Amino acid sequence: MRFRADIQGLRALAVLLVIAHHFFPETSTGGFFGVDVFFVISGYIITLTLIEQQQNSFSEFLLEFYARRVRRILPSALIVILLSVVFTYLILGSITGFDTADDGIFAALFLANIHFNSSVVDYFAAGLPQPILQHYWSLAIEEQFYLIWPLLFFISRKQSIRLATLILLSVISFIFAITSLSNASPTAYLSTLTRAWELGIGAIVALSKFRFSSSLLSYISLFFLIVLSTLYTPESDFPGLPALVIALLACVVITNSDSNRVLASKVMIWIGDRSYTLYLVHWSVSQSRYHTKRRIIE
């Protein structure tokens, strides 16, 4: 797969927005939607990988793809889980440590979103300490998508059927997201069913091979992503219509191949190369500080 410097820069933007929101929530009120950008990128990249390897058998693809995922994802993920559990036991006590160890099991199995939904965790609960491994919810959704989409992809060899299936499932997922939000469902934010459409829209862009040729549109999209990170708030309906706006802006950048020099800069590429590690570490650090401060006060 050809390296896309601008997509790596888009990863950098996504993780910077998320970090800014968690450390400076009063300023970057909507930076949490960096995760939505990650979902679109992931759907796009995995689909390009599937297209490139569609001549292989399904079993060959699974072995190669998941072996590569394990090498890239698991070591860092497990290290952060282990360190988080040890920290909570030593600094915050055995009760919090036990809870974190329990969370860590589900995080390591990429079932964190299901686990936290079953616990009715509020991602935006203000003034309350959050689970130190809560951010693994988004990794869980990606890995669950990576289990289902390759299977659907290889069931049919016709690109038109793949695209139609993907559009249908994405529309159903989006409708489910809107319905869940209108019913004030506490599980809407972390659910795979309400998030699948975001990965799906990235996959649709890859399958359709739709491309723009306007660097101006890419820069405008980048501008609005930054502006909206200060205008959206936790009260915005995510993953509903506001999330659709973010997903479409990300798609505009992706479809304007290599046209955004800001995103393709060396600094953004450097950050993008480390976006996964930064995402894993930042939440644990921010919440550890919060837990520790709260414990000292108490």
Side-chain angles (χ1 to χ4, degrees):
M1 184 186 304
R2 184 176 67 85
F3 175 73
R4 285 277 303 275
D6 56 335
I7 290 182
Q8 202 68 344
L10 190 59
R11 279 196 177 104
L13 175 66
V15 77
L16 289 174
L17 290 176
V18 172
I19 292 173
H21 174 70
H22 290 148
F23 280 91
F24 311 103
E26 297 83 6
T27 302
S28 182
T29 55
F32 57 85
F33 68 62
V35 172
D36 302 74
V37 176
F38 273 128
F39 285 152
V40 175
I41 295 173
S42 295
Y44 178 78
I45 294 298
I46 187 182
T47 305
L48 286 185
T49 303
L50 286 167
I51 292 171
E52 288 184 354
Q53 300 183 13
Q54 62 184 322
Q55 301 305 319
N56 298 338
S57 67
F58 183 52
S59 58
E60 288 175 336
F61 168 80
L62 285 182
L63 287 175
E64 181 179 344
F65 177 76
Y66 290 116
R68 188 166 59 249
R69 293 294 299 174
V70 166
R71 290 193 300 268
R72 178 178 178 270
I73 298 298
L74 272 186
S76 298
L78 293 178
I79 289 172
V80 172
I81 290 172
L82 178 61
L83 290 177
S84 298
V85 172
V86 171
F87 171 84
T88 52
Y89 266 111
L90 295 179
I91 307 299
L92 305 178
S94 59
I95 295 178
T96 306
F98 177 80
D99 290 340
T100 303
D102 185 46
D103 295 342
I105 294 173
F106 289 94
L109 296 174
F110 296 107
L111 297 172
N113 65 319
I114 297 173
H115 169 62
F116 290 123
N117 260 343
S118 67
S119 306
V120 197
V121 168
D122 183 357
Y123 183 83
F124 295 110
L128 296 175
Q130 301 285 353
I132 289 179
L133 296 173
Q134 179 178 295
H135 60 311
Y136 276 71
W137 72 271
S138 61
L139 302 180
I141 288 178
E142 286 192 4
E143 297 308 317
Q144 290 158 23
F145 182 82
Y146 290 165
L147 285 174
I148 298 173
W149 175 225
L151 176 61
L152 295 176
F153 184 91
F154 277 95
I155 285 177
S156 174
R157 292 289 178 176
K158 290 186 177 181
Q159 206 78 330
S160 58
I161 295 179
R162 292 169 176 167
L163 187 58
T165 300
L166 192 58
I167 292 174
L168 176 62
L169 294 178
S170 297
V171 169
I172 292 173
S173 172
F174 184 69
I175 292 174
F176 184 70
I178 296 295
T179 303
S180 298
L181 288 167
S182 65
N183 293 332
S185 171
T187 63
Y189 193 83
L190 305 182
S191 173
T192 304
L193 297 178
T194 61
R195 291 287 185 170
W197 70 267
E198 294 181 291
L199 291 118
I201 200 170
I204 289 169
V205 170
L207 272 180
S208 65
K209 300 180 180 180
F210 183 74
R211 296 291 180 271
F212 280 113
S213 182
S214 171
S215 59
L216 178 61
L217 285 176
S218 182
Y219 286 116
I220 291 174
S221 296
L222 173 60
F223 171 78
F224 276 109
L225 284 171
I226 295 172
V227 170
L228 289 175
S229 72
T230 65
L231 297 179
Y232 282 160
T233 70
E235 286 69 44
S236 301
D237 286 334
F238 274 76
L241 289 173
L244 178 60
V245 173
I246 299 303
L248 292 176
L249 289 172
C251 285
V252 170
V253 174
I254 291 172
T255 53
N256 280 277
S257 179
D258 295 322
S259 62
N260 195 311
R261 294 187 179 182
V262 174
L263 292 176
S265 66
K266 290 183 179 180
V267 172
M268 295 298 281
I269 293 173
W270 187 89
I271 297 172
D273 289 342
R274 293 154 181 81
S275 58
Y276 174 62
T277 303
L278 289 171
Y279 180 79
L280 285 180
V281 172
H282 90 280
W283 174 265
S284 298
V285 171
S286 66
Q287 288 304 303
S288 295
R289 292 170 59 196
Y290 185 89
H291 279 274
T292 303
K293 182 179 180 180
R294 186 182 180 89
R295 187 177 178 84
I296 291 174
I297 293 174
E298 293 174 351

